Amino acid sequence: MTNGTSANSQRGTSMSCAVCGAPGEKSRDYCAICGFTDVSDGKRKWHRTVEAWAYEDLQKTLDEDESLLGVTRGRIAGSWRRKLTLNPQTFLSPFVNVGLTENRLILQQIHQANGRAASDKVTAFPIHQIVSLSVSDADPMETGRSVRLNVILSNGESFRLRSAGRLAEGAKELFEVWESVALRAAASTAPAITCPHCNREMDRPHKFCPFCGTAQGGSE
Ligand SMILES: [Zn+2]
Ligand SMILES: [Zn+2]
């Protein structure tokens, strides 16, 4: 066997990750997407670097007062994926970082060969646009090894993200945080308070309506 450059592409496809299917690079001994390295003692081993990359690359896209409450990454599928493919630079990569903050869920495409973000540009969904977010086992034969994060948006679009190994743990943690984030978001969009006299919406309960000055009853 020669080691010429013409062999690279063939070898590249044959080296794809056994867990997530991402194409491998010869210089690296772990998958740049899911971190899978090898199996020893019958257990799969995962490289932590990919988690650090996900965290780091998402961090760069946050607003000043925003912080990451949950992070995972994996292969995306579902109706929403088509939109991602509009960017020709990342056309071939079905892999994304997913980050949850107090206000939004962020999707960031990553290069499938090196695991790093395609750009600092992200797609983000405000929390109130998310109708449902859940996790389920993606592989019933091996519980917990890989999970599917299922997201349904209020406009009917949806996507699924399949994550493996330590990133499957990340997806489960993201889901747990999501429950409290969603609760807080729901509380903050509680039914509006309106003045019974002028019907205008008030930002909070007032003794007197800030618009028409009418005393607001019922406060005891
Ligand atoms: Zn992988
Ligand atoms: Zn009023």
Side-chain angles (χ1 to χ4, degrees):
M1 286 286 199
T2 56
N3 209 9
T5 47
S6 60
N8 278 352
S9 58
Q10 289 171 330
R11 194 155 157 72
T13 49
S14 65
M15 282 178 65
S16 58
C17 173
V19 175
C20 76
E25 269 182 359
K26 271 188 285 185
S27 56
R28 195 184 287 109
D29 61 358
Y30 56 91
C31 170
I33 301 294
C34 74
F36 177 61
T37 49
D38 59 8
V39 180
S40 62
D41 307 330
K43 278 194 160 184
R44 287 164 189 257
K45 302 285 182 200
W46 310 92
H47 206 288
R48 286 169 180 266
T49 300
V50 294
E51 279 169 284
W53 286 344
Y55 199 90
E56 213 176 281
D57 286 342
L58 281 165
Q59 194 80 39
K60 287 178 195 155
T61 72
L62 301 184
D63 296 334
E64 265 175 42
D65 55 348
E66 237 181 347
S67 57
L68 288 168
L69 305 176
V71 170
T72 186
R73 67 176 5 185
R75 180 187 287 269
I76 195 167
S79 71
W80 193 79
R81 203 204 141 185
R82 256 175 286 125
K83 302 216 165 172
L84 278 178
T85 61
L86 291 177
N87 179 351
Q89 285 253 296
T90 54
F91 183 73
L92 293 169
S93 176
F95 299 101
V96 292
N97 288 328
V98 177
L100 177 68
T101 74
E102 194 68 43
N103 302 312
R104 53 190 189 143
L105 186 72
I106 301 168
L107 299 190
Q108 180 181 44
Q109 271 201 297
I110 49 185
H111 290 295
Q112 52 187 348
N114 64 17
R116 298 313 298 252
S119 86
D120 286 352
K121 278 194 184 160
V122 295
T123 304
F125 307 106
I127 295 301
H128 65 80
Q129 274 183 17
I130 299 168
V131 175
S132 139
L133 186 153
S134 60
V135 281
S136 54
D137 269 318
D139 187 349
M141 301 304 285
E142 286 182 84
T143 311
R145 189 192 86 191
S146 60
V147 301
R148 205 172 268 127
L149 183 73
N150 309 289
V151 177
I152 302 173
L153 305 172
S154 56
N155 62 4
E157 288 173 350
S158 64
F159 62 87
R160 304 183 300 279
L161 184 88
R162 188 179 170 127
S163 305
R166 302 178 56 86
L167 292 151
E169 293 306 315
K172 286 184 222 166
E173 283 163 25
L174 187 149
F175 167 69
E176 278 161 27
V177 178
W178 156 258
E179 291 188 306
S180 56
V181 167
L183 272 179
R184 281 197 291 274
S188 72
T189 55
I193 307 160
T194 53
C195 168
H197 182 71
C198 70
N199 271 327
R200 275 182 282 205
E201 200 174 297
M202 298 184 288
D203 56 342
R204 58 184 173 83
H206 286 273
K207 268 191 177 161
F208 298 94
C209 172
F211 305 105
C212 71
T214 304
Q216 306 292 301
S219 59
E220 191 54 65

